[in-house]
Amino acid sequence: VRILLTGAYVYVGGDSSEPEGEGKGDAERFGPQGDAAALAGDDGWIYGYLYVRDTRIAAVAPGDPPPELRAEAERVLFLGGRLVLPGLVNTHTHTPMTLLRGMGEGRPLKAWLEEEMWPREARFTDASVYWGTRLAQLEMIQSGVTTFNDMYDRMHLVLEAVGESGLRAVLGRGVIGLAPKDVQDAKLREAVEFARTAHGAYGGRVRAMIAPHAPYTVPEPLLVRMVEAAEELDLPVHIHVSETKEEVERCRERTGMRPVEYLDALGVFRRPTLAVHAVHLSEAEKDLLAARGVRVSHNPVSNLKLGSGVADVPGLLARGVIVGLGTDGAASNNRQDIFHELTTAALLHKGIRHEAEVLPPPEAFALATRMGARALFLEDIGALRTGWKADLIVLDAANARYVPRTDLLAHVVYNALPADVTHVMVDGRFLMEEREVLTLDAERILYEAEREAQRLR
Ligand SMILES: [Zn+2]
């Protein structure tokens, strides 16, 4: 692959807190980076070109590309002032649950899970997961997501769909352990076997995690065994933590500890861990997450919709915790759209804190890109830098929401919509061009997913 993108506004800013940048001020931390940085404005943008060779970015610079790159390129796309951005990272979802979109509306988490979701999910077949995950992956490509992190069962079908869609994915067989010992054993075996198969699949496009569902759905002995398995496989742990107040109370009654303290006492955080939600935390728990290097998936829309609350993201970021943005499943969102999470997060914390300075556009955008990738323990993904993976999106900014061109990144954070996305590239391969998804059969997916959902109703 040799693709040259020219005539574009390319965003080369991002979170530069790693590896040597710890302790930098915000301007330095989220300003321009990489070898194009010296040539970029303070706002992190250049007007120029980006060159992709095989799966990686081979050059990114302002101005016209040198003649030798033009000569070498197999394709030259003149983008006419469109925006080139790193692809968005969805740090937490359950892709097959798109089939349950719009079902069980308006119920709080416990009743929603136990009375609306679990009975319907019990009727899921291979076909449900097959079409549900394709529906989600189609929506993610159309809305500029290039990497997603999924926790569910029948994950071999999700893996197969990732092979087809071309998306980058981190996958884990989600384990709910409220079952007899033999069922628990079988699930654990499946989780381990799946991780072995998935990790490194499709030329390294897929990574695996070990995914115990939550401290309240996985009995202690099973949770400990899952962490041991993660240790053996050298994989991170992906777990829901402290989503609701009620969950925290029940954990305290049962263990005498709050969920983060409990997981720490069990030794879970000896593994690299992604804690999902982290809504109800004590100050001591926030310190503990920072001290253990635990990453957090912030899912503002899902948490708002289920009435769970709002995670203290500014408080976590101030402690140096790496935070990404997740949609959660489509039944509780109802989109698989990281632009929506980005806009929501950027507004929400200003309102909660009564501080307009909180989560400025460069920091908010980092949550959706580079920090999101770091939350999933992915290197060289989430920013447009020479030598990094060519995971990027193109936005058409020729519409009212981007005029005047005062602060382009603010326009992206507050105004961008999935419909603005024209191209999506992962690993140097276009998954969508001029809004046409190339890897999935969109029409067929919409039809089959609708039919499969009728059966579950
Ligand atoms: Zn979830």
Side-chain angles (χ1 to χ4, degrees), residues 92-94 97 151 213 238 240 243 276-277 299 302 327-329 332:
H92 178 72
T93 184
H94 313 278
M97 291 184 82
M151 173 205 285
H213 177 265
H238 173 197
H240 296 98
E243 182 173 4
V276 175
H277 300 305
N299 315 305
S302 173
T327 55
D328 213 349
S332 64

Side-chain angles (χ1 to χ4, degrees), residues 257-407:
M257 290 175 272
R258 298 174 60 92
V260 170
E261 299 164 345
Y262 166 69
L263 293 177
D264 188 52
L266 287 187
V268 175
F269 302 147
R270 284 203 305 267
R271 293 304 311 155
T273 301
L274 174 70
V276 175
H277 300 305
V279 172
H280 298 279
L281 305 177
S282 66
E283 296 304 300
E285 283 181 304
K286 291 172 204 169
D287 293 340
L288 193 54
L289 290 180
R292 300 287 185 262
V294 175
R295 316 286 158 107
V296 167
S297 175
H298 176 40
N299 315 305
V301 175
S302 173
N303 296 151
L304 286 171
K305 184 157 186 272
L306 292 173
S308 303
V310 177
D312 177 20
V313 168
L316 290 168
L317 291 171
R319 288 167 167 86
V321 176
I322 303 298
V323 181
L325 296 178
T327 55
D328 213 349
S332 64
N333 187 297
N334 294 352
R335 313 183 194 182
Q336 297 291 289
D337 167 11
I338 289 296
F339 282 120
H340 192 220
E341 303 300 318
L342 173 57
T343 310
T344 305
L347 295 171
L348 183 60
H349 298 286
K350 294 173 176 65
I352 297 258
R353 291 225 164 190
H354 300 187
E355 283 174 43
E357 298 86 346
V358 166
L359 278 181
E363 190 171 23
F365 189 68
L367 300 189
T369 52
R370 179 57 195 142
M371 265 212 252
R374 293 182 71 197
L376 302 181
F377 305 97
L378 300 175
E379 313 87 41
D380 61 28
I381 284 160
L384 301 179
R385 296 182 210 174
T386 304
W388 282 35
K389 285 289 190 179
D391 288 12
L392 58 86
I393 59 177
V394 178
L395 262 61
D396 183 0
N399 69 62
R401 279 175 286 106
Y402 295 86
V403 177
R405 296 201 169 207
T406 42
D407 185 336

Side-chain angles (χ1 to χ4, degrees), residues 113-444:
L113 260 185
E114 292 173 2
E115 294 162 36
E116 305 288 347
M117 294 296 116
W118 289 349
R120 286 189 176 94
E121 287 178 307
R123 301 212 304 278
F124 265 31
T125 61
D126 280 1
S128 324
V129 170
Y130 186 95
W131 293 112
T133 188
R134 275 167 179 74
L135 181 64
Q137 292 184 45
L138 174 66
E139 185 182 351
M140 285 194 277
I141 293 174
Q142 289 174 328
S143 55
V145 169
T146 51
T147 298
F148 72 100
N149 179 29
D150 203 345
M151 173 205 285
Y152 211 66
D153 59 13
R154 300 182 210 243
M155 289 300 288
H156 59 288
L157 295 171
V158 176
L159 176 64
E160 184 194 309
V162 167
E164 206 176 299
S165 72
L167 283 165
R168 191 178 300 287
V170 180
L171 306 177
R173 198 275 190 223
V175 171
I176 293 179
L178 307 172
K181 175 89 170 39
D182 57 321
V183 178
Q184 291 184 9
D185 290 347
K187 284 185 172 184
L188 175 60
R189 251 197 327 272
E190 216 183 292
V192 168
E193 274 163 27
F194 175 74
R196 284 210 170 98
T197 310
H199 195 63
Y202 306 119
R205 197 148 53 70
V206 178
R207 300 250 188 118
M209 286 206 203
I210 294 296
H213 177 265
Y216 65 96
T217 51
V218 182
E220 192 172 312
L222 180 60
L223 189 49
V224 169
R225 285 166 72 205
M226 291 194 76
V227 173
E228 285 166 4
E231 197 131 19
E232 242 177 75
L233 295 163
D234 195 22
L235 292 176
V237 170
H238 173 197
I239 185 167
H240 296 98
V241 182
S242 298
E243 182 173 4
T244 62
K245 235 180 205 163
E246 187 194 0
E247 172 197 337
V248 175
E249 280 318 306
R250 282 195 302 178
C251 183
R252 288 180 70 176
E253 285 161 20
R254 194 164 54 84
T255 68
M257 290 175 272
R258 298 174 60 92
V260 170
E261 299 164 345
Y262 166 69
L263 293 177
D264 188 52
L266 287 187
V268 175
F269 302 147
R270 284 203 305 267
R271 293 304 311 155
T273 301
L274 174 70
V276 175
H277 300 305
V279 172
H280 298 279
L281 305 177
S282 66
E283 296 304 300
E285 283 181 304
K286 291 172 204 169
D287 293 340
L288 193 54
L289 290 180
R292 300 287 185 262
V294 175
R295 316 286 158 107
V296 167
S297 175
H298 176 40
N299 315 305
V301 175
S302 173
N303 296 151
L304 286 171
K305 184 157 186 272
L306 292 173
S308 303
V310 177
D312 177 20
V313 168
L316 290 168
L317 291 171
R319 288 167 167 86
V321 176
I322 303 298
V323 181
L325 296 178
T327 55
D328 213 349
S332 64
N333 187 297
N334 294 352
R335 313 183 194 182
Q336 297 291 289
D337 167 11
I338 289 296
F339 282 120
H340 192 220
E341 303 300 318
L342 173 57
T343 310
T344 305
L347 295 171
L348 183 60
H349 298 286
K350 294 173 176 65
I352 297 258
R353 291 225 164 190
H354 300 187
E355 283 174 43
E357 298 86 346
V358 166
L359 278 181
E363 190 171 23
F365 189 68
L367 300 189
T369 52
R370 179 57 195 142
M371 265 212 252
R374 293 182 71 197
L376 302 181
F377 305 97
L378 300 175
E379 313 87 41
D380 61 28
I381 284 160
L384 301 179
R385 296 182 210 174
T386 304
W388 282 35
K389 285 289 190 179
D391 288 12
L392 58 86
I393 59 177
V394 178
L395 262 61
D396 183 0
N399 69 62
R401 279 175 286 106
Y402 295 86
V403 177
R405 296 201 169 207
T406 42
D407 185 336
L408 276 180
L409 197 67
H411 295 349
V412 169
V413 167
Y414 297 114
N415 303 1
L417 296 176
D420 302 337
V421 181
T422 60
H423 294 66
V424 174
M425 177 184 276
V426 173
D427 253 356
R429 174 190 183 204
F430 277 125
L431 313 186
M432 183 166 85
E433 267 193 77
E434 295 297 353
R435 299 192 171 91
E436 187 193 344
V437 177
L438 305 174
T439 52
L440 295 173
D441 182 346
E443 212 175 315
R444 172 108 199 263

